[in-house]
Amino acid sequence: MIVGTSGLVLNEKLLFEHSDAGRKGYSLPALDVPAATLPDGLCREEIAGFPELSEVDVVRHFTRLSTWNYGVDSGFYPLGSCTMKYNPKVNEVACRLPGLADVHPATPDHLAQGALTLMYQLQEMLAEISGFPAVSVQPAAGAHGELAGMLAIRAWHEARGNARRTKVLIPDTAHGTNPATAALAGFDVVPIASQGVLTLEEVAAHMTDEVAALMVTNPNTLGLFETNIEAICALVHERGGLVYCDGANLNALLGIARPGDLGIDVMHFNLHKTFATPHGGGGPGSGPVGVRADLAPFLPGPLAVRDGDSYRFAGPPGSVGRLLAFHGNFGIMVRAFAYIRSMGAQGLRHATEMAVLNANYVRARLEGSYHLPYATRSLHEVVFSDRDLPNDCHTLDVAKRLIDYGYHPPTIYFPLVVKGAIMIEPTETESQETLDEFCDAMLAIAGEAGADPELLKNAPVRTRTRRLDETGAARQPRLKWERPC
Amino acid sequence: MRYIPHTPGDVAQMLERIGVGSLEELFVEIPASARLKRPLALPPALAESELVRELKALAARNATPENRISFLGGGAYQHFIPAAVDLLISRSEFYTAYTPYQPEISQGTLQAIFEFQTLICQLTGMEVANASMYDGASACAEAALMTVRLTRRRKVLVSRALNPRWRKVIATYCRYVDVELVEVGYAADGRTDLEELAGKLDGQTAAVIAGYPNYFGVVEDLAALAGLAQGAGARLVAGVAEGVALGLLKSPGELGADIVAGEGQSFGLPVSYGGPYVGFFAARMKDVRAMPGRLVGETVDRDGKRGFVLTLSTREQHIRREKATSNICSNQGLCALTATVFLSLLGKQGLRELAQQNVAKAAYAREQLQKVAGVTLPFAAPSFNEFVVRSSKPAGEVLAALEAQGILGGIPLGADYPELGEAFLVCVTEQNRRSDIEALAGALAGGAA
């Protein structure tokens, strides 16, 4: 069955084009104190171009916009590396409880014991899941957690007088945030080649006394477990360095293996991936960072700490500092807490097993029709390429054609080491029927590429817009609405 | 497990199709030495009803404006949120989507971000705004780094009257990238000391960063700061912690700011114990290629129909890697949508009225507190919805005495500003009724102060 169909697509202008002078969708109580204002010289004229709309205008506007989007609730969303699992509804209710949503961050600790307890317990549960004894939940997203971790690594070396260690080794399969983060923490990046997985020899060849750390992703972005990780960690340690792990792919390891037990020293979590918090159209996420014990003093803080039966914010003593004005994306922490408490240890392990089962099932069904660059057993995601597609059809065309079939495309053209990569991460929340329908669509598209390639080249045709001119958008940037002259 | 659909029959069929005999075989690449040999030690799984009960019990142990009168601000503001805001952002087509990498099925998110960028430009008086940053503090830190890239200078002057938490975040971001941070004090009226600033500006200064309003709620003379900074070849970064103030105050752009880095929490986001909030970041078009973060641009599709895409991404980490303008990837997309909905509802008039009510309520509170014996208001410069209160008794004792009467009276300032003596920061919004303000004044007069 083709899931995609052409339904009712409503047009909708920009907010500013709707506006009519004198409308508003808001009411304030009558002022119960004497009117007062600021000196004239400080005040602006009216805000030129600002919208004026009634509540119903606003509600229709955003409701219509929402219908042009595709979310996990719309259908299968196999975006590799992003772990687009289902976002449980009760978690949305939980974070909106007034006793959680309306707590001001400057509330004295003794009046915010519920919130602090939750943060403390989340730190503890993440520590147990990952094998890192200390966790800071302050970072706002994965890249922010990376920054926290790399700053801690820098501070750890500094405390040992290792000022010469200014380089970081990063494999060619890494997310772009890894090198960008290393640079932001003041390191020079040394790219290293992988052969699907990192080899001990390759790491050894680069592991000099100028290297502060190795940044790995495990399982890596090809969906492969770094089989040499323990030996690599031992080598890096022996030569005075530390190992950072990008935790984007932790969904492959819950209850199976703990990065902290493998010799990894620092790792960030993506609560919006592994722990089912919604991706929000591009955030907010949450990127806690876990470290081994001797790096704990350098974590961003303060952390929630326990004193007997009560909790407070404190330390850590040698902290690299604050990364956000307040305590982190608490609303996201509530959702992740609710998820972990709903799943329990057995549920989390089951999630990982089903995620890996699903990825391997998709692999089994598509292998032979799409080129599989690495034969090693996949974990939670599988990477194909467009190498064998006929008639000058490429990954982008497959992705766009999938949209016509009613799916969000996989991650494409990443990792960079696979030319024309198609990176599929089904996650555990998809049923066999869903996977079969998706695989049927992928196989049909492979067939169309041979029989009628224009179907791919013209896709998508059932969407709000057809393919958009991205080159034109970059050449003459129009980044805001302007009143037509 | 209610979120996982597989039946034992499904699992068996799927394993067979894969060609393995057990789930265990799928993990064959993970060496035995790397395996966890016990179950994770986590609390037992909860049914949905049990979970809700547990969370409600935690929620009941927190103080909120439902059970206290609150005058807390300091970078997070308690404004009313119209019901339509949360209901609209709760449409799961918005909140269960991710970054709009596939524009044809993300036009909802993309158009909303384009609208957000436009609203931020209008509010700040700037030419270009990005799709959002983590929060105001991290936006301000990224602004500092952007001025270093633009000027190739390495010194940043930061006003001591900027939110101290924001100053700490700036320091964290600058910790290992060879940027010298120098503090500039404030004058007796609560505004950044212009004379001291003039003395500290030099040919190595990349930027001057000041709050607008500043941490004391005081409205800085941004035009004077811009003049001084730009006279020395440096940039002025305005840090806006209370976005509602821009409904009434002259825009930073009009006053000469080069970058505006602000916090959008006031635009419809609950205080939520500190997050998620939304940083906004606006600059001049000539500097757009040095900006951090995502940008959405207008374009056309193959049929000539208007549409929106992520653009100018050659600045970003996924393309430029270690040479990117920032490492940011996920930002605060849904929070930017929240702000867009909130600002659309308030509109031109609503936002101005809201700002005016905040000014009037705070002015009334100032007037009431000024009459209390033992209380002084140290700063005379005009302020928005916050102000500093100095007491004759230790601030901790004063706030504890207020707390005993059900009042969260403010944020103590002693740790960050010992020079102010016994002082705390009071914030008054449209949510504080006259009777709340009078209760605060009454409690202080009745012995708390």
Side-chain angles (χ1 to χ4, degrees):
Chain A
M1 184 188 79
I2 295 178
V3 179
T5 183
S6 49
L8 180 65
V9 179
L10 296 159
N11 283 316
E12 179 63 17
K13 296 183 277 195
L14 288 160
L15 280 173
F16 314 96
E17 296 163 340
H18 268 300
S19 186
D20 200 356
R23 284 193 186 140
K24 67 179 166 179
Y26 180 71
S27 58
L28 274 166
L31 192 62
D32 61 358
V33 299
T37 190
L38 291 170
D40 274 349
L42 299 181
C43 297
R44 71 193 299 168
E45 302 295 312
E46 66 171 30
I47 306 174
F50 220 60
E52 294 180 82
L53 305 159
S54 70
E55 181 171 324
V56 68
D57 296 328
V58 173
V59 168
R60 264 196 200 135
H61 176 79
F62 289 100
T63 302
R64 287 182 177 212
L65 256 53
S66 76
T67 64
W68 303 342
N69 259 14
Y70 187 104
V72 172
D73 286 2
S74 314
F76 186 45
Y77 208 128
L79 195 65
S81 238
C82 296
T83 316
M84 301 298 290
K85 60 172 78 177
Y86 171 70
N87 311 130
K89 298 305 161 199
V90 65
N91 302 357
E92 297 305 305
V93 174
C95 67
R96 287 169 169 84
L97 290 171
L100 299 174
D102 297 339
V103 191
H104 191 281
T107 306
D109 290 352
H110 67 275
L111 295 177
Q113 285 295 298
L116 272 163
T117 304
L118 188 149
M119 285 178 75
Y120 180 83
Q121 290 184 0
L122 180 62
Q123 290 169 191
E124 293 287 292
M125 294 192 296
L126 292 175
E128 167 63 12
I129 289 166
S130 62
F132 294 104
V135 174
S136 168
V137 291
Q138 193 178 88
H144 213 212
E146 286 180 33
L147 178 60
M150 294 311 287
L151 291 173
I153 285 174
R154 184 100 195 204
W156 182 88
H157 279 302
E158 208 172 56
R160 275 151 192 79
N162 297 337
R164 281 192 62 208
R165 293 195 182 260
T166 56
K167 294 181 177 170
V168 170
L169 308 181
I170 301 181
D172 49 13
T173 48
H175 294 115
T177 50
N178 292 184
T181 300
L184 191 50
F187 291 111
D188 296 322
V189 173
V190 181
I192 56 173
S194 66
Q195 318 292 325
V197 296
L198 273 177
T199 63
L200 187 62
E201 294 69 32
E202 184 69 20
V203 176
H206 292 91
M207 191 59 221
T208 67
D209 61 3
E210 291 184 317
V211 174
L214 165 71
M215 286 183 97
V216 296
T217 306
N218 192 21
N220 65 28
T221 58
L222 295 162
L224 309 180
F225 189 82
E226 289 288 354
T227 42
N228 308 310
I229 189 71
E230 291 167 290
I232 288 171
C233 290
L235 173 93
V236 171
H237 291 158
E238 191 182 301
R239 299 199 187 169
L242 296 171
V243 180
Y244 183 92
C245 181
D246 179 325
N249 294 339
L250 187 64
N251 206 43
L253 299 179
L254 301 172
I256 305 280
R258 304 195 309 168
D261 296 341
L262 305 177
I264 289 162
D265 304 295
V266 185
M267 184 189 80
H268 79 265
F269 306 77
N270 298 79
L271 300 188
H272 49 294
K273 295 180 181 177
T274 316
F275 299 101
T277 76
H279 285 68
S286 176
V289 60
V291 295
R292 77 176 200 209
D294 60 332
L295 281 136
F298 306 108
L299 281 174
L303 310 175
V305 299
R306 183 177 185 162
D307 284 330
D309 290 336
S310 68
Y311 300 86
R312 63 185 167 85
F313 279 117
S319 175
V320 293
R322 208 169 239 300
L323 281 163
L324 285 178
F326 294 109
H327 320 311
N329 283 347
F330 179 73
I332 306 301
M333 295 174 211
V334 174
R335 293 171 172 95
F337 174 91
Y339 177 74
I340 297 170
R341 294 294 281 113
S342 298
M343 299 293 282
Q346 210 184 340
L348 290 178
R349 186 183 164 111
H350 185 52
T352 284
E353 288 173 345
M354 294 303 106
V356 172
L357 177 72
N358 279 358
N360 280 284
Y361 184 72
V362 168
R363 173 174 158 160
R365 286 218 46 202
L366 300 184
E367 205 174 344
S369 302
Y370 287 87
H371 171 240
L372 183 70
Y374 294 93
T376 318
R377 171 68 62 204
S378 302
L379 284 173
H380 67 300
E381 65 193 355
V382 57
V383 178
F384 292 100
S385 90
D386 61 0
R387 194 193 71 181
D388 298 341
L389 289 178
N391 294 325
D392 201 33
C393 286
H394 298 289
T395 290
L396 184 70
D397 305 312
V398 174
K400 298 305 182 195
R401 184 63 180 151
L402 265 174
I403 293 173
D404 280 337
Y405 277 89
Y407 297 99
H408 194 287
T411 292
I412 56 175
Y413 299 107
F414 184 83
L416 305 174
V417 292
V418 174
K419 191 167 173 292
I422 303 172
M423 184 196 217
I424 301 172
E425 183 183 10
T427 84
E428 71 279 7
T429 55
E430 301 301 327
S431 67
Q432 187 186 6
E433 294 93 309
T434 299
L435 300 182
D436 277 332
E437 287 165 3
F438 169 76
C439 291
D440 290 346
M442 285 290 286
L443 297 174
I445 292 168
E448 289 168 355
D452 191 357
E454 288 308 302
L455 283 174
L456 277 72
K457 301 279 178 196
N458 284 326
V461 294
R462 301 168 190 272
T463 41
R464 156 81 190 156
T465 62
R466 298 185 61 205
R467 285 196 206 186
L468 290 141
D469 180 5
E470 301 194 25
T471 314
R475 196 167 291 151
Q476 289 198 309
R478 291 167 61 97
L479 307 174
K480 66 174 193 287
W481 173 82
E482 278 170 288
R483 192 183 295 284
C485 304
Chain B
M1 210 309 122
R2 57 191 180 275
Y3 313 135
I4 301 179
H6 302 69
T7 65
D10 297 336
V11 173
Q13 269 184 22
M14 292 169 79
L15 287 170
E16 191 184 335
R17 177 64 202 245
I18 296 165
V20 294
S22 69
L23 287 170
E24 179 56 33
E25 273 182 60
L26 296 175
F27 294 91
V28 65
E29 295 294 332
I30 305 182
S33 56
R35 299 294 188 94
L36 179 68
K37 291 165 191 77
R38 59 170 176 83
L40 290 170
L42 295 173
L46 299 176
E48 186 169 334
S49 55
E50 295 172 307
L51 176 70
V52 170
R53 191 176 303 143
E54 167 148 346
L55 285 160
K56 281 185 175 168
L58 288 170
R61 296 172 57 206
N62 298 319
T64 70
E66 279 192 6
N67 49 38
R68 300 288 193 292
I69 295 173
S70 176
F71 296 96
L72 299 178
Y77 300 95
Q78 299 172 125
H79 296 294
F80 181 74
I81 302 171
V85 174
D86 196 47
L87 287 168
L88 286 168
I89 67 152
S90 296
R91 289 194 59 99
S92 64
E93 298 90 336
F94 285 130
Y95 83 81
T96 72
Y98 203 10
T99 305
Y101 293 123
Q102 298 289 341
E104 300 87 350
I105 47 171
S106 310
Q107 284 299 304
T109 292
L110 286 161
Q111 181 169 325
I113 295 173
F114 185 80
E115 292 171 344
F116 173 76
Q117 291 174 179
T118 305
L119 290 166
I120 295 302
C121 287
Q122 292 168 341
L123 272 177
T124 58
M126 302 300 284
E127 293 163 1
V128 56
N130 74 13
S132 79
M133 309 299 287
Y134 302 133
D135 72 348
S138 58
C140 227
E142 294 265 20
L145 296 178
M146 175 166 152
T147 64
V148 169
R149 286 195 294 278
L150 285 170
T151 62
R152 298 173 189 276
R153 299 174 174 191
R154 308 209 73 88
K155 188 159 108 181
V156 173
L157 304 184
V158 184
S159 167
R160 185 165 169 77
L162 181 72
N163 185 316
R165 290 163 178 272
W166 290 30
R167 286 187 275 132
K168 286 175 185 163
V169 175
I170 295 169
T172 308
Y173 272 73
C174 292
R175 192 174 169 116
Y176 295 119
V177 287
D178 186 27
V179 174
E180 184 193 358
L181 296 175
V182 177
E183 195 171 275
V184 179
Y186 51 87
D189 65 356
R191 295 190 289 193
T192 303
D193 188 329
L194 297 176
E195 249 176 71
E196 187 182 331
L197 174 64
K200 286 182 170 169
L201 276 161
D202 62 21
Q204 276 314 300
T205 309
V208 174
I209 308 181
Y212 184 70
N214 68 24
Y215 191 59
F216 307 137
V218 166
V219 182
E220 293 275 4
D221 184 351
L222 272 197
L225 294 170
L228 283 172
Q230 289 153 4
R235 307 294 179 106
L236 177 68
V237 177
V240 178
E242 167 53 299
V244 168
L246 297 182
L248 188 61
L249 295 180
K250 277 187 177 158
S251 75
E254 184 184 344
L255 298 173
D258 297 285
I259 301 176
V260 184
E263 175 54 67
Q265 174 271 327
S266 283
F267 303 144
L269 290 155
V271 286
S272 188
Y273 208 42
Y277 295 170
V278 57
F280 58 81
F281 193 107
R284 303 285 176 190
M285 204 56 198
K286 66 179 165 59
D287 297 331
V288 67
R289 286 175 199 276
M291 277 176 76
R294 294 197 175 113
L295 291 165
V296 169
E298 183 183 324
T299 187
V300 290
D301 76 356
R302 283 184 177 178
D303 297 333
K305 190 178 191 177
R306 178 169 72 183
F308 302 92
V309 291
L310 293 173
T311 193
L312 299 181
S313 51
T314 50
R315 301 164 297 112
E316 291 182 68
Q317 50 76 27
H318 61 284
I319 312 272
R320 191 60 62 84
R321 298 177 82 86
E322 66 269 22
K323 295 189 176 61
T325 55
S326 168
N327 72 335
I328 193 166
C329 182
S330 280
N331 45 65
Q332 305 284 113
L334 195 71
C335 304
L337 175 71
T338 308
T340 307
V341 177
F342 179 88
L343 292 171
S344 308
L345 285 166
L346 270 73
K348 193 184 278 184
Q349 288 182 23
L351 186 64
R352 193 175 186 94
E353 289 163 8
L354 173 62
Q356 273 166 340
Q357 274 218 2
N358 275 258
V359 168
K361 298 266 186 169
Y364 183 69
R366 284 184 74 124
E367 189 192 308
Q368 295 302 304
L369 297 193
Q370 232 152 8
K371 294 182 198 159
V372 176
V375 166
T376 52
L377 308 185
F379 299 130
S383 59
F384 185 65
N385 62 0
E386 286 175 283
F387 55 93
V388 173
V389 172
R390 199 182 273 159
S391 53
S392 49
K393 291 185 189 166
E397 281 177 28
V398 175
L399 293 171
L402 291 171
E403 203 183 293
Q405 299 183 50
I407 300 172
L408 298 174
I411 299 174
L413 294 173
D416 293 311
Y417 299 97
E419 70 276 16
L420 286 177
E422 298 303 332
F424 54 98
L425 185 65
V426 174
C427 175
V428 191
T429 74
E430 82 286 358
Q431 292 282 71
N432 294 112
R433 289 164 301 179
R434 181 184 188 128
S435 56
D436 298 342
I437 297 167
E438 288 167 358
L440 173 65
L444 289 169

